[in-house]
Amino acid sequence: MKELEKLMNFRPEIRVVDATLHDGGLVNNFYFTDEFVQNLYLANLKAGVDYMEFGYKASREMFNENKFGKWKFCKDDDIRAIVGDNNTDLKIAVMADVGRCDYKNDILPKNESPIDMIRVATYINTIPAAIDMINNATQKGYEATCNLMAISNAQEKDVEIALELLAQTDVKTLYIVDSYGALYPEQIARIMDLYMNTATKYGKEVGIHAHNNQQLAFANTIEAVGDGANFLDATYNTMGRGAGNCAMELLLSFLKNPKYNHYPVFRFIEDHMAKLKEDGIVWGYDLQYLMTGILNQHPRTAIKFTEDKRIDYADFYCELIERD
């Protein structure tokens, strides 16, 4: 039984992370206007959001800068153009994917950068490289988190070993990432037990990044809150790859901390998110994403189904179960 106080009251330790530019960027190849990003930053300030993730620190050697918007690469000068000196309580984060970034050269020492936190994203099979990235970030003066992706496809013992190795670094937060939107709250509760055992042992915190394939991103996030997760990812209007993510407007409305104000989120969605959809940017729950979530598969096939404007859902399901 959950401690009712954890859900009726608020924990001051909870931190909300806006991942709109990161996960939303996967929908539009990071082509956000400066006006959009500036107003998102201001909305986060007014809403009391704790961290704003600007996107990725992707390798400019691996990825052609002409094929993506600037937030695929998050150059320090581009961030400064939005936040200035950022003399606020809102901290700036970026995502660094194992194997997809030149972190030794592109991530400058903290005293030369507007960034506060490096979020290292890894799979189970790339933990040694993730540890090197974490050590590089913390030695340069940054906070660091580790987002353990595709957790629904990992063996529990492998996760346990990975957490043990990661927790022996200076990483701040260990993240559950439901990459395929395949998990149910009951499973989140069990996974949280595993994470919290390691986090408590080493003095770390736990976070969650949920996807909405089965319309459970919000439910899974508040399940994790009740079990002790302190770092919570969300996006405005659920914008994110495929089915999207936990909705910022839902999360801030749920959290009881008076420092959070959901009205600026509603205002930003009205003023800016609606236009993205009018311009043809597509994200959000649909049958094809439900199917990949149920089958615990990567949503790339559902994304292709959407891009091709297919509506033969039953045939698509048959294709998925043949490859499962």
Side-chain angles (χ1 to χ4, degrees):
M1 191 75 135
K2 293 223 180 342
E3 293 178 37
L4 190 58
E5 184 180 352
K6 287 184 178 179
L7 298 179
M8 294 294 293
N9 201 351
F10 72 89
R11 294 201 311 276
E13 299 86 5
I14 286 177
R15 299 290 180 266
V16 173
V17 181
D18 169 33
T20 305
L21 295 182
H22 148 211
D23 234 299
L26 298 173
V27 179
N28 68 350
N29 285 332
F30 302 90
Y31 284 112
F32 295 103
T33 66
D34 288 350
E35 178 191 13
F36 180 96
V37 178
Q38 180 70 51
N39 281 286
L40 179 60
Y41 172 68
L42 294 174
N44 281 322
L45 285 175
K46 293 174 184 176
V49 170
D50 300 284
Y51 289 82
M52 178 174 171
E53 188 178 42
F54 269 71
Y56 283 84
K57 273 284 188 183
S59 167
R60 282 168 277 162
E61 183 175 337
M62 293 178 66
F63 298 95
N64 186 338
E65 287 188 80
N66 294 323
K67 294 183 178 180
F68 298 93
K70 66 179 74 172
W71 307 112
K72 175 82 169 177
F73 307 98
C74 284
K75 297 176 185 177
D76 287 357
D77 286 345
D78 289 333
I79 296 175
R80 278 198 191 90
I82 301 296
V83 307
D85 293 330
N86 190 37
N87 295 319
T88 74
D89 293 331
L90 176 64
K91 293 187 176 183
I92 306 303
V94 295
M95 177 68 74
D97 255 339
V98 169
R100 300 176 188 175
C101 65
D102 183 9
Y103 60 96
K104 292 182 179 178
N105 295 310
D106 288 343
I107 297 177
L108 303 177
K110 171 67 187 79
N111 60 10
E112 300 176 24
S113 172
I115 298 166
D116 300 292
M117 175 185 282
I118 306 297
R119 287 165 38 105
V120 175
T122 184
Y123 293 101
I124 288 285
N125 65 323
T126 54
I127 292 297
I131 289 172
D132 191 62
M133 290 175 65
I134 291 165
N135 290 337
N136 180 271
T138 56
Q139 287 164 11
K140 288 175 176 175
Y142 295 97
E143 296 177 38
T145 71
C146 189
N147 290 33
L148 198 53
M149 298 187 291
I151 196 76
S152 60
N153 264 355
Q155 297 294 319
E156 186 169 310
K157 189 61 180 177
D158 291 343
V159 175
E160 186 177 352
I161 293 169
L163 292 174
E164 185 76 17
L165 292 170
L166 291 167
Q168 293 178 55
T169 70
D170 287 330
V171 72
K172 178 184 180 73
T173 307
L174 301 167
Y175 257 89
I176 298 168
V177 183
D178 183 15
S179 302
Y180 304 160
L183 296 173
Y184 295 94
E186 295 86 349
Q187 293 170 293
I188 292 292
R190 189 173 71 250
I191 294 167
M192 276 295 300
D193 283 344
L194 187 65
Y195 270 67
M196 288 299 293
N197 285 340
T198 303
T200 301
K201 178 180 175 182
Y202 289 96
K204 308 299 182 181
E205 297 192 90
V206 175
I208 182 166
H209 180 93
H211 280 262
N212 206 36
N213 297 61
Q214 301 185 81
Q215 299 205 54
L216 290 172
F218 175 57
N220 286 338
T221 299
I222 64 174
E223 172 69 39
V225 172
D227 291 327
N230 282 339
F231 274 69
L232 314 176
D233 285 14
T235 65
Y236 282 63
N237 210 198
T238 78
M239 187 182 187
R241 184 200 64 194
N245 299 80
C246 176
M248 181 68 76
E249 56 274 20
L250 283 171
L251 184 60
L252 292 191
S253 300
F254 167 79
L255 295 172
K256 305 302 187 292
N257 191 331
K259 80 172 183 175
Y260 296 127
N261 179 5
H262 49 254
Y263 175 78
V265 180
F266 298 151
R267 172 57 64 189
F268 181 85
I269 291 171
E270 177 184 337
D271 291 344
H272 299 281
M273 302 303 292
K275 185 177 186 308
L276 290 181
K277 292 199 170 185
E278 288 170 4
D279 291 343
I281 306 300
V282 179
W283 74 88
Y285 168 81
D286 208 337
L287 279 177
Q288 62 270 31
Y289 298 118
L290 168 65
M291 293 172 189
T292 57
I294 290 170
L295 296 172
N296 195 17
Q297 293 183 9
H298 195 287
R300 63 174 64 90
T301 51
I303 293 170
K304 182 67 164 56
F305 179 96
T306 306
E307 290 173 347
D308 291 344
K309 296 182 169 40
R310 290 175 59 182
I311 56 172
D312 54 330
Y313 297 104
D315 287 345
F316 179 65
Y317 182 71
C318 291
E319 293 169 17
L320 292 176
I321 60 176
E322 285 178 3
R323 76 176 70 224
D324 199 18

